[in-house]
Amino acid sequence: KRTARYLSLSCRIAAELGAKIVKTYYCDEDFEKVTTGCPVPVVIAGGPKCETELEVFEFVHDGMNQGAIGVNLGRNVWQNPHPEAMMRALNAVVHQKAAPKQAQELFETLKQGKEA
């Protein structure tokens, strides 16, 4: 099971073996223990396909607030009917600290072909 304890140990081992950055799964509880317990920066892996864009923005926002330095998402971007809008909205969460609802609004604007 992907618990903070398991992920923390795995990330620490990767860092001790020489990783300069670690990509790991996000966990709902105590993700901050994962990021603070790892001596190198942590990037959030994509995880399972989310049902809504807002779910993606929420877990990315939460993970960033708990110490992640970025994301490495696949299916939640490329399998979305509007991948460019997803990327730009996620960029706002990661680099501009946009709240999930702000990212959702940006996504909705961009998917309609409007410039934000």
Side-chain angles (χ1 to χ4, degrees):
K1 188 172 177 185
R2 296 177 183 159
T3 63
R5 177 173 161 67
Y6 167 79
L7 295 172
S8 294
L9 290 170
S10 299
C11 290
R12 178 129 194 131
I13 290 168
E16 289 176 1
L17 289 172
K20 302 295 182 207
I21 190 167
V22 174
K23 172 182 142 183
T24 191
Y25 296 106
Y26 173 77
C27 58
D28 290 331
E29 293 184 25
D30 299 323
F31 187 69
E32 190 169 18
K33 287 183 180 179
V34 178
T35 60
T36 59
C38 187
V40 298
V42 174
V43 173
I44 303 169
K49 175 82 170 136
C50 292
E51 293 297 317
T52 67
E53 291 84 11
L54 185 59
E55 284 180 60
V56 178
F57 303 141
E58 287 172 341
F59 90 75
V60 169
H61 181 263
D62 192 47
M64 296 300 296
N65 284 340
Q66 292 188 58
I69 63 158
V71 296
N72 185 330
L73 303 182
R75 79 183 94 224
N76 286 305
V77 173
W78 306 118
Q79 290 179 4
N80 186 288
H82 307 281
E84 183 180 350
M86 277 300 288
M87 288 188 308
R88 291 181 63 189
L90 284 164
N91 184 62
V93 174
V94 172
H95 295 289
Q96 298 162 4
K97 301 186 188 311
K101 290 191 192 267
Q102 291 172 308
Q104 181 69 39
E105 290 169 9
L106 176 59
F107 172 79
E108 294 298 328
T109 298
L110 293 169
K111 82 175 192 179
Q112 294 170 13
K114 298 176 186 171
E115 201 52 43

